[in-house]
PDB file of all heavy atoms in Angstrom:
ATOM      1  N   SER A 741       3.349 -13.924  -1.820  1.00 97.00           N
ATOM      2  CA  SER A 741       3.354 -12.484  -1.591  1.00 97.00           C
ATOM      3  C   SER A 741       3.878 -11.748  -2.824  1.00 97.00           C
ATOM      4  O   SER A 741       4.980 -12.011  -3.297  1.00 97.00           O
ATOM      5  CB  SER A 741       4.226 -12.150  -0.374  1.00 97.00           C
ATOM      6  OG  SER A 741       4.175 -10.764  -0.120  1.00 97.00           O
ATOM      7  N   ILE A 742       3.044 -10.842  -3.344  1.00 97.00           N
ATOM      8  CA  ILE A 742       3.449 -10.038  -4.503  1.00 97.00           C
ATOM      9  C   ILE A 742       3.364  -8.551  -4.190  1.00 97.00           C
ATOM     10  O   ILE A 742       3.516  -7.707  -5.071  1.00 97.00           O
ATOM     11  CB  ILE A 742       2.601 -10.365  -5.746  1.00 97.00           C
ATOM     12  CG1 ILE A 742       1.122 -10.058  -5.496  1.00 97.00           C
ATOM     13  CG2 ILE A 742       2.802 -11.813  -6.170  1.00 97.00           C
ATOM     14  CD1 ILE A 742       0.299  -9.916  -6.756  1.00 97.00           C
ATOM     15  N   GLY A 743       3.105  -8.219  -2.926  1.00 96.00           N
ATOM     16  CA  GLY A 743       2.994  -6.819  -2.538  1.00 96.00           C
ATOM     17  C   GLY A 743       2.409  -6.731  -1.146  1.00 96.00           C
ATOM     18  O   GLY A 743       2.286  -7.739  -0.443  1.00 96.00           O
ATOM     19  N   PHE A 744       2.060  -5.524  -0.746  1.00 96.00           N
ATOM     20  CA  PHE A 744       1.375  -5.363   0.529  1.00 96.00           C
ATOM     21  C   PHE A 744       0.522  -4.116   0.529  1.00 96.00           C
ATOM     22  O   PHE A 744       0.688  -3.228  -0.301  1.00 96.00           O
ATOM     23  CB  PHE A 744       2.343  -5.381   1.719  1.00 96.00           C
ATOM     24  CG  PHE A 744       3.385  -4.309   1.750  1.00 96.00           C
ATOM     25  CD1 PHE A 744       3.090  -3.015   2.161  1.00 96.00           C
ATOM     26  CD2 PHE A 744       4.700  -4.595   1.404  1.00 96.00           C
ATOM     27  CE1 PHE A 744       4.068  -2.032   2.225  1.00 96.00           C
ATOM     28  CE2 PHE A 744       5.684  -3.624   1.464  1.00 96.00           C
ATOM     29  CZ  PHE A 744       5.363  -2.334   1.871  1.00 96.00           C
ATOM     30  N   VAL A 745      -0.415  -4.094   1.439  1.00 97.00           N
ATOM     31  CA  VAL A 745      -1.241  -2.923   1.682  1.00 97.00           C
ATOM     32  C   VAL A 745      -1.139  -2.632   3.176  1.00 97.00           C
ATOM     33  O   VAL A 745      -1.191  -3.545   4.002  1.00 97.00           O
ATOM     34  CB  VAL A 745      -2.698  -3.115   1.195  1.00 97.00           C
ATOM     35  CG1 VAL A 745      -3.369  -4.289   1.855  1.00 97.00           C
ATOM     36  CG2 VAL A 745      -3.514  -1.860   1.359  1.00 97.00           C
ATOM     37  N   SER A 746      -0.943  -1.359   3.495  1.00 96.00           N
ATOM     38  CA  SER A 746      -0.769  -0.933   4.882  1.00 96.00           C
ATOM     39  C   SER A 746      -1.751   0.177   5.208  1.00 96.00           C
ATOM     40  O   SER A 746      -1.975   1.069   4.387  1.00 96.00           O
ATOM     41  CB  SER A 746       0.642  -0.379   5.106  1.00 96.00           C
ATOM     42  OG  SER A 746       1.604  -1.340   4.780  1.00 96.00           O
ATOM     43  N   VAL A 747      -2.295   0.112   6.403  1.00 97.00           N
ATOM     44  CA  VAL A 747      -3.139   1.185   6.904  1.00 97.00           C
ATOM     45  C   VAL A 747      -2.475   1.710   8.169  1.00 97.00           C
ATOM     46  O   VAL A 747      -2.147   0.941   9.076  1.00 97.00           O
ATOM     47  CB  VAL A 747      -4.573   0.695   7.179  1.00 97.00           C
ATOM     48  CG1 VAL A 747      -5.405   1.796   7.826  1.00 97.00           C
ATOM     49  CG2 VAL A 747      -5.216   0.220   5.882  1.00 97.00           C
ATOM     50  N   PHE A 748      -2.242   2.998   8.167  1.00 95.00           N
ATOM     51  CA  PHE A 748      -1.612   3.675   9.304  1.00 95.00           C
ATOM     52  C   PHE A 748      -2.722   4.395  10.059  1.00 95.00           C
ATOM     53  O   PHE A 748      -3.343   5.311   9.531  1.00 95.00           O
ATOM     54  CB  PHE A 748      -0.544   4.655   8.810  1.00 95.00           C
ATOM     55  CG  PHE A 748       0.529   3.986   8.011  1.00 95.00           C
ATOM     56  CD1 PHE A 748       0.394   3.834   6.639  1.00 95.00           C
ATOM     57  CD2 PHE A 748       1.659   3.478   8.627  1.00 95.00           C
ATOM     58  CE1 PHE A 748       1.376   3.195   5.893  1.00 95.00           C
ATOM     59  CE2 PHE A 748       2.647   2.839   7.888  1.00 95.00           C
ATOM     60  CZ  PHE A 748       2.507   2.696   6.523  1.00 95.00           C
ATOM     61  N   TYR A 749      -2.967   3.918  11.289  1.00 92.00           N
ATOM     62  CA  TYR A 749      -4.114   4.388  12.046  1.00 92.00           C
ATOM     63  C   TYR A 749      -3.739   4.505  13.516  1.00 92.00           C
ATOM     64  O   TYR A 749      -3.316   3.528  14.122  1.00 92.00           O
ATOM     65  CB  TYR A 749      -5.273   3.390  11.853  1.00 92.00           C
ATOM     66  CG  TYR A 749      -6.481   3.694  12.687  1.00 92.00           C
ATOM     67  CD1 TYR A 749      -7.156   4.885  12.529  1.00 92.00           C
ATOM     68  CD2 TYR A 749      -6.929   2.792  13.644  1.00 92.00           C
ATOM     69  CE1 TYR A 749      -8.262   5.179  13.308  1.00 92.00           C
ATOM     70  CE2 TYR A 749      -8.034   3.074  14.421  1.00 92.00           C
ATOM     71  CZ  TYR A 749      -8.694   4.267  14.246  1.00 92.00           C
ATOM     72  OH  TYR A 749      -9.778   4.562  15.019  1.00 92.00           O
ATOM     73  N   ASP A 750      -3.878   5.710  14.050  1.00 87.00           N
ATOM     74  CA  ASP A 750      -3.532   5.962  15.451  1.00 87.00           C
ATOM     75  C   ASP A 750      -4.761   6.281  16.278  1.00 87.00           C
ATOM     76  O   ASP A 750      -4.713   7.129  17.164  1.00 87.00           O
ATOM     77  CB  ASP A 750      -2.543   7.128  15.546  1.00 87.00           C
ATOM     78  CG  ASP A 750      -1.220   6.807  14.895  1.00 87.00           C
ATOM     79  OD1 ASP A 750      -0.782   5.651  14.982  1.00 87.00           O
ATOM     80  OD2 ASP A 750      -0.624   7.719  14.278  1.00 87.00           O
ATOM     81  N   ASP A 751      -5.860   5.599  16.000  1.00 84.00           N
ATOM     82  CA  ASP A 751      -7.141   5.893  16.622  1.00 84.00           C
ATOM     83  C   ASP A 751      -7.658   7.232  16.090  1.00 84.00           C
ATOM     84  O   ASP A 751      -7.005   7.873  15.287  1.00 84.00           O
ATOM     85  CB  ASP A 751      -7.074   5.844  18.150  1.00 84.00           C
ATOM     86  CG  ASP A 751      -6.638   4.459  18.639  1.00 84.00           C
ATOM     87  OD1 ASP A 751      -7.143   3.465  18.086  1.00 84.00           O
ATOM     88  OD2 ASP A 751      -5.790   4.384  19.537  1.00 84.00           O
ATOM     89  N   GLY A 752      -8.840   7.628  16.496  1.00 89.00           N
ATOM     90  CA  GLY A 752      -9.427   8.826  15.918  1.00 89.00           C
ATOM     91  C   GLY A 752     -10.252   8.472  14.696  1.00 89.00           C
ATOM     92  O   GLY A 752     -10.730   7.349  14.554  1.00 89.00           O
ATOM     93  N   HIS A 753     -10.402   9.425  13.773  1.00 95.00           N
ATOM     94  CA  HIS A 753     -11.322   9.222  12.649  1.00 95.00           C
ATOM     95  C   HIS A 753     -10.626   9.081  11.291  1.00 95.00           C
ATOM     96  O   HIS A 753     -11.298   8.831  10.294  1.00 95.00           O
ATOM     97  CB  HIS A 753     -12.344  10.370  12.590  1.00 95.00           C
ATOM     98  CG  HIS A 753     -11.762  11.664  12.109  1.00 95.00           C
ATOM     99  ND1 HIS A 753     -10.981  12.473  12.907  1.00 95.00           N
ATOM    100  CD2 HIS A 753     -11.843  12.275  10.915  1.00 95.00           C
ATOM    101  CE1 HIS A 753     -10.614  13.528  12.214  1.00 95.00           C
ATOM    102  NE2 HIS A 753     -11.118  13.446  11.001  1.00 95.00           N
ATOM    103  N   LYS A 754      -9.287   9.226  11.239  1.00 96.00           N
ATOM    104  CA  LYS A 754      -8.574   9.193   9.961  1.00 96.00           C
ATOM    105  C   LYS A 754      -7.558   8.068   9.919  1.00 96.00           C
ATOM    106  O   LYS A 754      -6.957   7.729  10.931  1.00 96.00           O
ATOM    107  CB  LYS A 754      -7.795  10.493   9.727  1.00 96.00           C
ATOM    108  CG  LYS A 754      -8.630  11.693   9.426  1.00 96.00           C
ATOM    109  CD  LYS A 754      -7.765  12.872   9.029  1.00 96.00           C
ATOM    110  CE  LYS A 754      -6.800  13.250  10.124  1.00 96.00           C
ATOM    111  NZ  LYS A 754      -6.096  14.511   9.871  1.00 96.00           N
ATOM    112  N   ALA A 755      -7.347   7.548   8.710  1.00 97.00           N
ATOM    113  CA  ALA A 755      -6.308   6.540   8.490  1.00 97.00           C
ATOM    114  C   ALA A 755      -5.668   6.803   7.133  1.00 97.00           C
ATOM    115  O   ALA A 755      -6.341   7.226   6.188  1.00 97.00           O
ATOM    116  CB  ALA A 755      -6.908   5.139   8.516  1.00 97.00           C
ATOM    117  N   ASP A 756      -4.369   6.554   7.051  1.00 97.00           N
ATOM    118  CA  ASP A 756      -3.661   6.618   5.771  1.00 97.00           C
ATOM    119  C   ASP A 756      -3.549   5.207   5.226  1.00 97.00           C
ATOM    120  O   ASP A 756      -3.338   4.256   5.981  1.00 97.00           O
ATOM    121  CB  ASP A 756      -2.239   7.170   5.954  1.00 97.00           C
ATOM    122  CG  ASP A 756      -2.212   8.646   6.290  1.00 97.00           C
ATOM    123  OD1 ASP A 756      -3.282   9.278   6.329  1.00 97.00           O
ATOM    124  OD2 ASP A 756      -1.107   9.166   6.517  1.00 97.00           O
ATOM    125  N   ILE A 757      -3.636   5.075   3.911  1.00 97.00           N
ATOM    126  CA  ILE A 757      -3.480   3.771   3.280  1.00 97.00           C
ATOM    127  C   ILE A 757      -2.412   3.862   2.203  1.00 97.00           C
ATOM    128  O   ILE A 757      -2.291   4.878   1.517  1.00 97.00           O
ATOM    129  CB  ILE A 757      -4.830   3.264   2.715  1.00 97.00           C
ATOM    130  CG1 ILE A 757      -4.726   1.798   2.281  1.00 97.00           C
ATOM    131  CG2 ILE A 757      -5.353   4.157   1.597  1.00 97.00           C
ATOM    132  CD1 ILE A 757      -6.083   1.145   2.007  1.00 97.00           C
ATOM    133  N   GLY A 758      -1.604   2.824   2.123  1.00 95.00           N
ATOM    134  CA  GLY A 758      -0.573   2.750   1.101  1.00 95.00           C
ATOM    135  C   GLY A 758      -0.432   1.312   0.635  1.00 95.00           C
ATOM    136  O   GLY A 758      -0.856   0.388   1.328  1.00 95.00           O
ATOM    137  N   TYR A 759       0.160   1.128  -0.526  1.00 96.00           N
ATOM    138  CA  TYR A 759       0.251  -0.215  -1.087  1.00 96.00           C
ATOM    139  C   TYR A 759       1.400  -0.294  -2.071  1.00 96.00           C
ATOM    140  O   TYR A 759       1.864   0.716  -2.604  1.00 96.00           O
ATOM    141  CB  TYR A 759      -1.065  -0.609  -1.781  1.00 96.00           C
ATOM    142  CG  TYR A 759      -1.606   0.489  -2.660  1.00 96.00           C
ATOM    143  CD1 TYR A 759      -1.243   0.577  -3.997  1.00 96.00           C
ATOM    144  CD2 TYR A 759      -2.424   1.476  -2.128  1.00 96.00           C
ATOM    145  CE1 TYR A 759      -1.697   1.616  -4.791  1.00 96.00           C
ATOM    146  CE2 TYR A 759      -2.874   2.525  -2.898  1.00 96.00           C
ATOM    147  CZ  TYR A 759      -2.510   2.588  -4.240  1.00 96.00           C
ATOM    148  OH  TYR A 759      -2.939   3.627  -5.012  1.00 96.00           O
ATOM    149  N   VAL A 760       1.859  -1.513  -2.263  1.00 94.00           N
ATOM    150  CA  VAL A 760       2.958  -1.818  -3.182  1.00 94.00           C
ATOM    151  C   VAL A 760       2.605  -3.123  -3.880  1.00 94.00           C
ATOM    152  O   VAL A 760       2.138  -4.057  -3.225  1.00 94.00           O
ATOM    153  CB  VAL A 760       4.284  -2.013  -2.398  1.00 94.00           C
ATOM    154  CG1 VAL A 760       5.395  -2.482  -3.310  1.00 94.00           C
ATOM    155  CG2 VAL A 760       4.680  -0.747  -1.669  1.00 94.00           C
TER     156      VAL A 760
END
Side-chain angles (χ1 to χ4, degrees):
S741 183
I742 61 161
F744 61 79
V745 58
S746 302
V747 175
F748 301 89
Y749 175 61
D750 295 324
D751 300 317
H753 73 283
K754 289 188 300 189
D756 289 357
I757 190 167
Y759 45 90
V760 174

